[in-house]
Amino acid sequence: FRSVVTVGAGEISGDLLAALLRLPRLHLLVGGQEEGALAAASEQLASPEIAGRVTVREGYLDMQEAAKLFAATDTVALPYTVASQSGVLLLAYGFRRPVVAYPVGGLLEAVLDGETGWICSRPDVDALVSALGAAAEAGWPECRRRGEAGARLAEERFAWPAIARRTDEVYREAIAGV
């Protein structure tokens, strides 16, 4: 198990870095456009406790580079405290990677705990440490199983044909109710 977690550079959180401090096996791989989060976390990122355990690929990543990033990961951490949905989550599913997420917004509908990833019991560092630890303990075979389930869920629920079918159903229901 490579014990690697990835997030977008714009979404690196203090909670994730605090969890990393408590999980010495984990390596954090961060990629994407810097939107101030890396700068805000620069002191934490420079701390000796996590030195050598964080790799940053800052800047625009084309799909080929993003694929390499996801290939180097076992899980994708999304400790968003507010989220209606996440493009990174759908990328994770597209690259067959399970997700560790806080129980907020649309993430509760998009991450099936125990099936496509791990949902933290609450949106805080202790719960994140527990969920990331559980993912690391589960190992690569379980991460692969959940990642495959995420890919299937994305096809069934979030792919354009599925969205078109559901939109058609909603319109038909609305017209029938008129």
Side-chain angles (χ1 to χ4, degrees):
F1 185 70
R2 295 179 302 243
S3 301
V4 179
V5 181
T6 186
V7 296
E11 281 115 32
I12 192 167
S13 73
D15 284 5
L16 186 56
L17 293 174
L20 187 65
L21 285 170
R22 292 172 49 189
L23 295 163
R25 281 184 56 196
L26 290 185
H27 182 95
L28 177 62
L29 180 56
V30 179
Q33 282 296 124
E34 161 65 305
E35 297 173 359
L38 287 172
S42 63
E43 190 174 310
Q44 285 177 288
L45 290 169
S47 77
E49 295 86 7
I50 63 172
R53 295 194 301 127
V54 178
T55 302
V56 177
R57 300 273 311 273
E58 195 272 320
Y60 172 78
L61 301 176
D62 63 25
M63 198 52 69
Q64 186 176 6
E65 293 211 20
K68 290 177 187 175
L69 213 70
F70 282 97
T73 67
D74 293 311
T75 55
V76 176
L78 302 174
Y80 305 146
T81 55
V82 176
S84 57
Q85 195 47 265
S86 168
V88 176
L89 181 142
L90 294 177
L91 276 174
Y93 285 170
F95 287 111
R96 293 171 160 62
R97 292 300 181 262
V99 174
V100 175
Y102 276 166
V104 297
L107 299 184
L108 280 169
E109 298 170 8
V111 180
L112 307 179
D113 193 37
E115 188 176 333
T116 66
W118 290 262
I119 292 282
C120 298
S121 58
R122 52 193 187 283
D124 66 29
V125 174
D126 289 336
L128 183 59
V129 167
S130 179
L132 289 172
E137 188 65 31
W140 173 241
E142 181 61 12
C143 287
R144 182 177 52 223
R145 183 191 73 76
R146 291 184 192 207
E148 292 291 333
R152 285 190 302 276
L153 179 68
E155 273 300 311
E156 293 165 4
R157 195 181 289 175
F158 303 114
W160 286 117
I163 293 169
R165 274 192 307 278
R166 182 62 188 135
T167 301
D168 183 61
E169 290 170 10
V170 168
Y171 282 136
R172 290 180 187 279
E173 289 170 12
I175 290 170
V178 171

